[in-house]
């Protein structure tokens, strides 16, 4: 038996390999890691690691002993370059070929690149990998200022970190509010005020026209004609799924490798999980590609179990989180199509939640510094139970008192 | 390096070194300690790294933050005065081996 080959060793790949084992898969499992380091945690890269609080060693996700104990072979420092589905074989960059019975693609996503004049210059930062973070950290430590293009999670987390480090920070965001596609306007407004309080210059409804570099100094010319100067330029303008391997292998893809609830692709011997996939999400009511740790882990679990022949469909409520300054931002559910919202608590740093509805159904809850409320919200949305907007807005109403159907237990992570 | 001794409900034990700056939860996950799920990776999002600090060491631990306390309200196993979230627990100075009891269930 040739066993399972997993391509990619971030959250989805590692979880899938582990879940296949735990579900009883007894054949060899090989995990292709295109970096030279052990699989590591990514959320701290934009925060604790840049701040110097988290060391490279503390980022390690699972030790070598873990993989050895689970009988998962790590192939570090190589990448898959081609998949031959007829021969059931993967060709690696180092010339090796691996035969497989089952293949699992967890190829992740990459940073979308800037496409304005000057974007091809050396030295523009993107933040995805440990190596990206190491390069950025080395420069940031010596810099006085940073210009961040994009007011999404990466941009705002780096803005928060750089501000804590005493740097001059400017954020350029094309939309009229922060995290427009992810959070409610109330939370956008809260975050804008929070960044302002910390001295960050945020330019909304602003674009980048061109990038120039004179010596070590960058000039970013904006769409409205302003010339901003900084030592570092970081772009955080979204991610693109790594689907080239899958496309060339003839697997069905559309903004992600198409998978079912078990992570199966259009080839029943090939599975996929994580950022690189697109699945029908019942909470979104449509085909969806998600980039989050929770999604990668939970879908990895479903796909790994399916490899072993066990059924464990991916039905988790989507969740996201971000830490900026002292604010813990948590989001559950998918909010597009919301037509009504109420606020529970006061929108300040002491903590509040925004309950969002579509046709009287609770579809998403954003919270700042309210982790307990998020846990309740997750159960409610997972179970399809909606408090009335009046109940949600009433701090004296105990949301835990709402009856949940028994199946709601499954909505737990 | 300080040590953490994990005691499972059936009495089975594992003692592991804890890398400086890493939490009890992270140590458990790295070494695949049974009974700690840590679905969220350590950001107070999931309540599945619930543990009990040994009674004899409770006095040495800094108290839970208000946020940790709020998440502890949602743990699956019995909540006790010694209940903590592993992701928020570090070995305090002065303790060589932190003793941690794993609850019956996390889900």
């Amino acid at each position: 038996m040739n066993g399972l080959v997993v391509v990619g060793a971030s959250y989805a790949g590692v979880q899938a390999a582990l879940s296949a084992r735990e579900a009883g898969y007894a054949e060899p499992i090989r995990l292709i890691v295109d970096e030279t380091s052990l699989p590591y945690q990514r959320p701290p890269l934009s925060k604790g690691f840049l701040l110097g609080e988290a060391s490279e060693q503390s980022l390690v996700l699972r030790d070598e002993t873990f993989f050895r104990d689970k009988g998962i072979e790590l192939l570090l420092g190589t990448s898959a370059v081609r998949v031959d589905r007829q021969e059931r074989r993967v060709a690696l960059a180092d010339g090796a070929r691996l035969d497989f019975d089952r293949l699992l693609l967890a190829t992740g996503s990459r940073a979308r690149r800037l496409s304005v004049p000057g974007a091809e210059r050396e030295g523009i930062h993107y933040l995805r990998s440990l190596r990206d973070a190491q390069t950025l950290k080395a420069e940031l430590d010596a810099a006085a200022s940073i210009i961040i293009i994009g007011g999404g999670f990466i941009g705002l987390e780096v803005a928060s970190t750089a501000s804590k480090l005493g740097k001059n920070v400017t954020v350029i965001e094309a939309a009229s509010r922060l995290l427009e596609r992810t959070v409610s306007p109330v939370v956008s407004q809260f975050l804008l005020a929070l960044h302002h309080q910390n001295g960050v210059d945020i330019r909304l409804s602003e674009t980048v026209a061109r990038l120039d570099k004179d010596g070590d100094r960058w000039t970013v010319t904006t769409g409205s004609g302003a010339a901003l100067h900084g030592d570092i330029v970081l772009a955080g303008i979204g991610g693109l799924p790594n689907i080239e391997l899958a496309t060339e292998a003839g697997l069905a893809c559309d903004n992600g490798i198409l998978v079912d609830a078990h992570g199966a692709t259009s080839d029943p011997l090939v599975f996929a999980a994580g950022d690189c996939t697109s699945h029908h999400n019942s909470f979104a009511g449509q085909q969806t590609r998600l980039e989050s740790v929770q999604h990668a882990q939970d879908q990895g679990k479903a796909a790994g179990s399916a490899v072993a022949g066990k059924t464990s469909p991916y039905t988790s409520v989507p969740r996201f989180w971000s830490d900026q300054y002292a604010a813990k931002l948590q989001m559950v559910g998918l909010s597009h199509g919301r037509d009504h919202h109420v606020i529970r608590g006061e929108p300040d740093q002491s903590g509040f939640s925004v309950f969002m509805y579509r046709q009287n159904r609770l579809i998403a809850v954003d919270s700042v510094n309210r982790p307990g409320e998020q846990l309740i919200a997750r159960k409610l949305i997972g179970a399809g139970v909606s408090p009335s907007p009046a109940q949600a807005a009433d701090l004296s109403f105990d949301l835990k008192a709402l009856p949940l159907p028994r199946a709601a237990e499954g909505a737990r992570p | 390096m300080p040590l953490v001794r994990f005691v499972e409900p059936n009495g089975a034990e594992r003692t592991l070194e804890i890398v400086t700056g890493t939490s009890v939860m992270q140590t458990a996950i790295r070494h695949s300690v049974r009974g700690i799920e840590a679905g969220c990776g350590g950001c107070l999002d999931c309540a599945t790294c619930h543990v009990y600090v040994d009674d004899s060491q409770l006095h040495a631990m800094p108290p839970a933050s208000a946020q940790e306390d709020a998440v502890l309200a949602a743990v699956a196993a019995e909540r006790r005065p010694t209940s903590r979230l592993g992701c928020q627990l570090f070995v305090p100075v002065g303790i060589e081996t932190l003793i941690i009891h794993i609850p019956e269930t996390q889900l």
Side-chain angles (χ1 to χ4, degrees):
Chain A
M1 296 293 276
N2 296 312
L4 168 68
V5 169
V6 179
V7 181
S10 194
Y11 292 93
V14 170
Q15 184 64 54
L18 171 61
S19 293
R21 264 299 172 253
E22 288 185 339
Y25 193 75
E27 307 304 330
I29 299 180
R30 286 170 291 181
L31 191 53
I32 300 171
V33 191
D34 72 352
E35 294 175 80
T36 50
S37 43
L38 283 170
Y40 55 85
Q41 305 174 70
R42 291 186 191 245
L45 293 180
S46 55
K47 303 175 278 267
F49 183 77
L50 280 188
L51 274 176
E53 289 171 354
S55 67
E56 190 178 325
Q57 217 214 338
S58 74
L59 295 183
V60 171
L61 195 58
R62 311 273 191 174
D63 269 356
E64 269 170 316
T65 51
F66 168 87
F67 292 102
R68 206 180 310 131
D69 291 350
K70 298 289 174 193
I72 297 167
E73 186 187 351
L74 288 179
L75 285 82
L76 290 169
T78 189
S79 56
V81 292
R82 207 165 52 80
V83 170
D84 186 331
R85 290 197 287 129
Q86 274 66 47
E87 298 292 323
R88 293 192 206 166
R89 187 174 291 162
V90 180
L92 303 184
D94 59 14
R97 285 162 201 283
L98 303 179
D99 292 323
F100 65 79
D101 301 319
R102 297 284 184 277
L103 178 69
L104 198 148
L105 299 172
T107 46
S109 59
R110 60 179 178 275
R112 184 192 296 275
R113 302 273 148 173
L114 289 167
S115 59
V116 298
E120 70 290 349
R121 282 176 179 279
E122 286 284 305
I124 295 169
H125 290 273
Y126 296 89
L127 181 51
R128 285 268 149 172
S129 66
L130 177 59
R131 187 178 298 169
D132 293 341
Q134 286 165 330
T135 315
L136 177 61
K137 179 171 176 8
E139 280 193 36
L140 191 61
D141 286 345
S145 58
I146 180 169
I147 297 172
I148 296 168
I149 301 168
F153 288 122
I154 292 280
L156 295 178
E157 287 173 6
V158 174
S160 155
T161 302
S163 163
K164 283 186 193 170
L165 290 168
K167 315 296 177 187
N168 280 317
V169 185
T170 308
V171 177
I172 301 170
E173 168 55 48
S176 60
R177 63 183 180 88
L178 295 174
L179 289 171
E180 185 185 36
R181 280 174 302 173
T182 324
V183 302
S184 57
V186 182
V187 173
S188 293
Q189 197 58 42
F190 168 82
L191 289 174
L192 182 67
L194 183 63
H195 282 274
H196 280 161
Q197 283 159 24
N198 285 278
V200 173
D201 177 5
I202 295 191
R203 314 263 176 126
L204 296 173
S205 306
E206 180 67 284
T207 56
V208 172
R210 59 176 299 119
L211 299 164
D212 294 285
K213 197 175 186 188
D214 182 11
D216 288 340
R217 194 95 172 131
W218 289 94
T219 299
V220 177
T221 306
T222 69
S224 64
L228 307 171
H229 305 286
D231 299 325
I232 296 179
V233 171
L234 169 90
I237 53 170
L240 296 170
N242 293 323
I243 56 172
E244 290 70 15
L245 210 56
T247 307
E248 285 166 21
L251 296 169
C253 295
D254 180 10
N255 182 37
I257 306 167
L258 298 180
V259 294
D260 66 13
H262 305 284
T265 68
S266 54
D267 179 336
L269 301 181
V270 181
F271 297 79
D275 288 17
C276 64
T277 67
S278 172
H279 70 288
H280 185 272
N281 188 287
S282 60
F283 297 98
Q286 62 188 26
Q287 203 65 25
T288 305
R289 189 175 75 80
L290 296 171
E291 287 187 18
S292 76
V293 172
Q294 170 270 320
H295 167 67
Q297 293 197 147
D298 290 351
Q299 198 178 40
K301 195 174 280 186
S305 305
V307 165
K310 293 260 171 70
T311 306
S312 171
Y314 173 52
T315 55
S316 311
V317 188
R319 305 199 305 279
F320 311 87
W321 64 83
S322 176
D323 290 310
Q324 295 168 39
Y325 311 101
K328 169 173 290 298
L329 175 60
Q330 292 171 288
M331 294 135 281
V332 59
L334 295 168
S335 64
H336 32 251
R338 65 181 179 268
D339 52 29
H340 184 67
H341 78 265
V342 294
I343 303 171
R344 187 173 174 88
E346 290 299 315
D348 59 26
Q349 293 185 44
S350 65
F352 65 98
S353 293
V354 182
F355 284 66
M356 286 167 270
Y357 292 82
R358 182 172 58 222
Q359 293 170 344
N360 297 321
R361 185 185 173 91
L362 182 68
I363 55 167
V365 177
D366 294 347
S367 302
V368 171
N369 295 334
R370 290 287 188 112
E373 224 154 78
Q374 272 286 306
L375 280 161
I376 300 165
R378 184 178 314 158
K379 286 192 209 173
L380 293 173
I381 294 174
V385 173
S386 302
S388 72
Q391 289 171 332
D394 178 2
L395 276 174
S396 67
F397 179 79
D398 182 8
L399 293 167
K400 284 201 295 277
L402 289 167
L404 294 177
R406 184 81 189 104
E409 288 303 307
R412 277 285 196 87
Chain B
M1 274 194 275
L3 303 172
V4 183
R5 185 193 303 166
F6 290 98
V7 185
E8 292 184 41
N10 64 8
E13 292 190 3
R14 276 179 82 180
T15 301
L16 299 164
E17 281 191 346
I18 187 161
V19 174
T20 308
T22 61
S23 65
V24 166
M25 176 281 285
Q26 238 176 302
T27 306
I29 290 304
R30 281 181 175 212
H31 297 278
S32 197
V33 171
R34 268 192 304 245
I36 295 185
E37 294 279 329
C40 79
C43 63
L44 281 179
D45 194 59
C46 77
T48 62
C49 63
H50 176 210
V51 295
Y52 303 116
V53 173
D54 194 76
D55 289 338
S56 68
Q57 295 178 326
L58 189 61
H59 67 279
M61 307 304 294
S65 68
Q67 292 190 356
E68 183 184 343
D69 191 58
V71 175
L72 280 167
V75 295
E78 178 199 356
R79 182 177 178 179
R80 301 177 192 160
T82 54
S83 286
R84 295 297 300 266
L85 293 176
C87 66
Q88 305 300 306
L89 275 188
F90 295 83
V91 179
V93 176
I95 287 189
E96 280 175 19
T97 304
L98 182 64
I99 304 167
I100 292 295
H101 301 270
I102 296 173
E104 291 284 349
T105 182
Q106 299 285 1
L107 298 173

